[in-house]
């Protein structure tokens, strides 16, 4: 920050997202010197009647350092907590937001004495049902008083609606109050280290330029697995399901980065223009290219209806109708309560023509980016089996982050994204037309599922999900390779 003040206002300060993600991310930014106490103040706002100390007690236990960072000291924690002030009020009350504005202005006055520039970052750690009223209140009562030199930004997070229509309605409501440049729609997958590496890998390496197309690539898989169920969130989850929770946002964002054309430059608008074009080129999804599943026991959650058909697992094949990707299936797969926790991008190449080594049965070349856990990038390829015989074996060129970057602190997605909002960089945020295009792809399918026209197949928790999904993968052309 140059001169002036930055107020970060966490709305929904007593909720789960704030406790588990927002405050810990702010804590880590603070530890790295990005939130200097001389210029930053944090306000928590929520309905609960609490004191500052009550809020601090709630979040203290969650303030842990990011991976590889030095352990926190109790001084770090107490200095950080010192920045926080709590204000209580409801999400639609004029008085609440007037009080909030008064407290922010008081801080700004002490800080700036009318000379510095005031910046206000509102982080909505709230359910979207209250976004419109909260945004209206911010607009009415809490905008920066520094005119054009200061700024007011609003950070929101999914679910942005339930389908195209509700998402567009939400976008219009917020869009009437704020300019697109003030709205930061978080998809936290865009803040992950390896997701951010995708464009670098693709566009900074000669290796990939000539290969990254339908002539060489057979199929692409983008996979998300979790080895736990919807514990404690069943009621929420049941209204959305795995497609809205993971695929339509996180995995589709990753698909954009895998499939988009090279942007003119790294200007956020150019990048997002290219992402929109890919989304617009996706064909309608066919029912025969979808497998849905629901793990056994999901409906035991008392907040889940006994007759629920909501998928906790889905495999969906998307087809991009353009020159680069015609005919290449993009298989998006996500599931809860599976046998492992993993997220990865797997690009499988076609067989080598004229296979003189007869190595086809060992598997194909693959380029894999494992997003988590244990970030790594590896290429599966065929090499000579060391020894006297001329035989071949599958092996890997492996860039494992744990080995290569032992000392490097890998920031949490939320840290990076919050820092971007402070810096005013929208590259890793979802633009309104991008969101619309994403909903256009999935809405017809989601409506068919909501009407019960597609059934979720049961699967046992701790397994790979319904076997039908493996059959779909095979049909799409994926060939299981050995090892890894
Ligand atoms: C959230 C989903 O967006 O992402 C959760 O709502 C899911 O259901 C989570 O568990 C996964 O995030 P990560 O970063 O742990 O892969």
């Amino acid at each position: 920050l140059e001169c002036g003040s930055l107020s970060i206002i966490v709305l929904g300060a007593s909720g789960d997202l704030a406790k588990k993600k927002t405050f810990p991310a702010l804590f880590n930014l603070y530890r790295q010197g990005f939130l200097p106490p001389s210029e930053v103040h944090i306000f928590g706002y929520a309905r609960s009647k609490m004191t500052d100390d009550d809020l601090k007690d709630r979040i203290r236990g969650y303030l842990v350092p990011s991976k590889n960072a030095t352990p926190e000291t109790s001084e770090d924690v107490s200095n950080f907590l010192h920045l926080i002030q709590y204000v209580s009020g409801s999400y639609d009350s004029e008085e609440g937001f007037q009080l909030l504005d008064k407290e922010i202005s008081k801080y700004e006055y002490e800080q700036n004495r009318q000379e510095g520039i005031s910046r206000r970052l509102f982080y909505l750690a709230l359910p979207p049902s209250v976004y419109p009223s909260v945004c209206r209140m911010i607009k009415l009562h809490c905008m920066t008083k520094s005119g054009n030199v200061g700024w007011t930004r609003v950070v929101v997070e999914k679910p942005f609606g339930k389908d195209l229509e509700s998402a567009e309605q939400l976008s219009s409501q917020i869009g009437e109050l704020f300019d697109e440049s003030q709205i930061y729609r978080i998809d936290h997958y865009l803040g992950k280290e390896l997701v951010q590496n995708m464009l670098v890998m693709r566009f900074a390496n000669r290796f990939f330029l000539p290969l990254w197309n339908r002539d060489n690539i057979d199929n692409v898989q983008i996979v998300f697995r979790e080895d736990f169920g919807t514990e404690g969130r069943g009621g929420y989850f049941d209204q959305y399901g795995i497609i809205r929770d993971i695929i339509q946002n996180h995995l589709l964002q990753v698909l954009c980065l895998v499939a988009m054309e090279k942007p003119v430059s790294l200007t956020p608008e150019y990048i997002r223009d290219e992402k929109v074009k890919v989304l617009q080129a996706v064909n309608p999804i066919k029912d025969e290219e979808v497998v849905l599943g629901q793990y056994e026991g999901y409906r035991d959650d008392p907040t889940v209806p006994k007759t629920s058909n909501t998928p906790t697992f889905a495999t969906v094949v998307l087809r991009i109708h353009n020159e680069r990707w015609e005919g290449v299936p993009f298989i998006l797969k996500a599931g809860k309560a599976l046998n492992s926790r993993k997220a990865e991008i797997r690009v499988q190449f076609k067989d080598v023509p004229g296979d003189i080594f007869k190595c086809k049965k060992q598997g194909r070349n693959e380029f894999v980016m494992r997003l988590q856990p244990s970030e790594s990038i590896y290429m599966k390829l065929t090499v000579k089996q060391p020894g006297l015989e001329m035989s071949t074996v599958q092996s890997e060129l492996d860039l494992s982050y744990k080995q290569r970057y032992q000392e490097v602190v890998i920031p949490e997605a939320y840290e990076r994204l919050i820092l971007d909002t402070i810096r005013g960089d929208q590259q890793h945020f979802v633009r309104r037309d991008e969101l619309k295009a994403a909903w256009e792809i999935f809405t017809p399918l989601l409506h068919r599922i909501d009407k019960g026209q597609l059934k979720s197949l049961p699967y046992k928790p701790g397994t790979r999900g319904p076997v039908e999904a493996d059959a779909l993968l095979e049909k799409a052309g994926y060939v299981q390779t050995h090892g890894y």
Side-chain angles (χ1 to χ4, degrees):
L1 294 178
E2 297 100 51
C3 64
S5 61
L6 170 64
S7 303
I8 300 175
I9 304 103
V10 181
L11 299 137
S14 58
D16 248 28
L17 178 67
K19 186 170 75 181
K20 292 185 181 154
K21 300 288 182 191
T22 321
F23 284 116
L26 291 171
F27 174 61
N28 280 303
L29 288 173
Y30 164 77
R31 289 191 79 212
Q32 292 166 78
F34 290 113
L35 304 180
S38 56
E39 295 174 42
V40 177
H41 200 60
I42 301 172
F43 295 86
Y45 183 91
R47 282 175 308 193
S48 328
K49 295 264 173 287
M50 288 194 288
T51 62
D52 289 355
D53 284 342
D54 293 338
L55 176 66
K56 292 176 190 182
D57 289 342
R58 267 184 86 90
I59 61 178
R60 192 181 313 248
Y62 291 87
L63 305 177
V64 289
S66 22
K67 220 189 286 177
N68 288 351
T70 51
E72 81 282 14
T73 63
S74 56
E75 212 186 331
D76 288 341
V77 174
S78 61
N79 287 347
F80 172 72
L81 290 175
H82 202 67
L83 300 179
I84 301 178
Q85 177 183 345
Y86 182 68
V87 180
S88 155
S90 69
Y91 298 121
D92 55 2
S93 93
E94 307 254 346
E95 302 84 65
F97 281 84
Q98 280 161 349
L99 175 64
L100 179 61
D101 180 64
K102 205 170 113 203
E103 293 299 325
I104 303 171
S105 302
K106 199 155 87 189
Y107 156 68
E108 287 172 349
Y109 182 74
E110 281 162 18
Q111 175 74 22
N112 299 336
R113 302 278 164 211
Q114 285 163 341
E115 273 156 33
I117 297 164
S118 92
R119 304 168 179 93
R120 298 183 176 191
L121 180 66
F122 289 87
Y123 193 107
L124 275 59
L126 290 168
S129 52
V130 298
Y131 288 176
S133 77
V134 167
C135 287
R136 206 170 42 248
M137 290 299 148
I138 295 173
K139 180 77 189 200
L140 278 175
H141 299 295
C142 297
M143 303 295 282
T144 177
K145 312 289 184 286
S146 300
N148 286 340
V149 286
W151 50 249
T152 304
R153 292 179 187 146
V154 178
V155 183
V156 287
E157 189 154 2
K158 67 139 226 272
F160 305 114
K162 285 195 77 176
D163 58 7
L164 179 59
E165 200 190 336
S166 50
E168 273 295 283
Q169 193 188 350
L170 190 59
S171 292
S172 321
Q173 284 168 330
I174 301 179
E176 278 164 20
L177 300 165
F178 295 105
D179 186 71
E180 185 65 25
S181 64
Q182 297 175 292
I183 306 169
Y184 288 72
R185 292 180 200 83
I186 285 200
D187 182 310
H188 80 282
Y189 266 60
L190 293 177
K192 290 189 186 276
E193 182 65 40
L194 261 67
V195 174
Q196 297 205 341
N197 202 351
M198 190 72 211
L199 294 192
V200 181
M201 292 300 292
R202 283 189 58 199
F203 298 126
N205 293 294
R206 190 77 200 211
F207 278 140
F208 299 108
L209 298 179
L211 296 182
W212 212 256
N213 54 43
R214 63 192 296 270
D215 299 332
N216 300 290
I217 291 176
D218 190 88
N219 62 78
V220 176
Q221 269 190 77
I222 303 170
V223 180
F224 167 96
R225 328 166 130 262
E226 262 176 357
D227 54 2
F228 49 91
T230 55
E231 282 114 54
R233 299 170 73 219
Y236 155 81
F237 187 88
D238 199 69
Q239 296 173 39
Y240 291 92
I242 197 80
I243 296 180
R244 293 182 178 97
D245 192 47
I246 303 286
I247 298 182
Q248 180 268 356
N249 38 64
H250 303 327
L251 301 194
L252 196 59
Q253 283 296 322
V254 173
L255 174 141
C256 287
L257 301 173
V258 175
M260 66 188 252
E261 297 299 317
K262 189 176 187 166
V264 177
S265 74
L266 292 181
T267 305
E269 296 320 326
Y270 288 148
I271 293 179
R272 300 191 296 175
D273 288 347
E274 295 306 332
K275 288 167 74 186
V276 173
K277 284 185 211 160
V278 170
L279 294 172
Q280 288 172 338
V282 174
N283 281 346
I285 299 167
K286 295 196 183 120
D287 287 353
E288 60 271 26
E289 296 206 301
V290 177
V291 171
L292 305 178
Q294 186 189 77
Y295 66 86
E296 291 170 7
Y298 167 71
R299 293 184 227 167
D300 294 346
D301 182 328
T303 57
V304 172
K306 289 286 164 260
T307 53
S308 169
N309 180 44
T310 300
T312 58
F313 173 101
T315 299
V316 180
V317 180
L318 296 190
R319 302 199 173 257
I320 302 172
H321 182 56
N322 67 15
E323 200 174 318
R324 186 185 289 273
W325 295 117
E326 188 77 56
V328 180
F330 281 73
I331 305 155
L332 308 190
K333 184 162 134 186
K336 297 219 168 236
L338 299 179
N339 55 353
S340 62
R341 174 167 182 261
K342 197 191 265 188
E344 65 181 21
I345 305 164
R346 190 171 284 267
V347 178
Q348 187 168 74
F349 288 82
K350 290 182 191 275
D351 291 325
V352 173
D355 174 19
I356 55 172
F357 298 105
K358 310 264 180 291
C359 55
K360 190 171 162 187
K361 67 175 186 327
Q362 278 162 356
R364 292 168 160 175
N365 287 158
E366 280 182 5
F367 171 75
V368 183
M369 289 178 93
R370 192 189 306 137
L371 312 181
Q372 64 192 35
S374 317
E375 292 90 346
S376 65
I377 302 175
Y378 59 90
M379 289 163 86
K380 295 176 75 87
L381 70 183
T382 302
V383 298
K384 181 183 169 302
Q385 168 85 56
L388 287 175
E389 303 298 324
M390 177 47 95
S391 57
T392 60
V393 68
Q394 272 268 350
S395 192
E396 298 87 25
L397 296 179
D398 186 359
L399 171 62
S400 164
Y401 276 42
K402 214 185 278 167
Q403 279 155 19
R404 180 59 65 95
Y405 301 116
Q406 275 165 12
E407 310 295 324
V408 181
V409 177
I410 299 191
E412 278 295 315
Y414 281 93
E415 276 170 53
R416 222 189 282 266
L417 296 176
I418 292 175
L419 187 60
D420 284 347
T421 62
I422 296 171
R423 290 174 168 162
D425 182 350
Q426 291 190 309
Q427 174 176 338
H428 303 296
F429 293 82
V430 182
R431 205 168 62 186
R432 179 174 172 172
D433 53 347
E434 218 179 321
L435 179 67
K436 178 165 183 257
W439 278 117
E440 273 165 354
I441 295 171
F442 281 98
T443 296
L445 171 67
L446 287 165
H447 284 172
R448 294 199 294 278
I449 299 171
D450 292 345
K451 284 189 205 136
Q453 292 169 1
L454 273 87
K455 293 274 177 261
S456 297
L457 306 166
Y459 62 94
K460 293 224 172 330
T463 63
R464 290 174 48 79
V467 286
E468 286 81 352
D470 288 336
L472 176 60
L473 237 69
E474 222 173 282
K475 215 172 111 204
Y478 175 70
V479 176
Q480 179 79 43
T481 53
H482 300 285
Y484 252 56

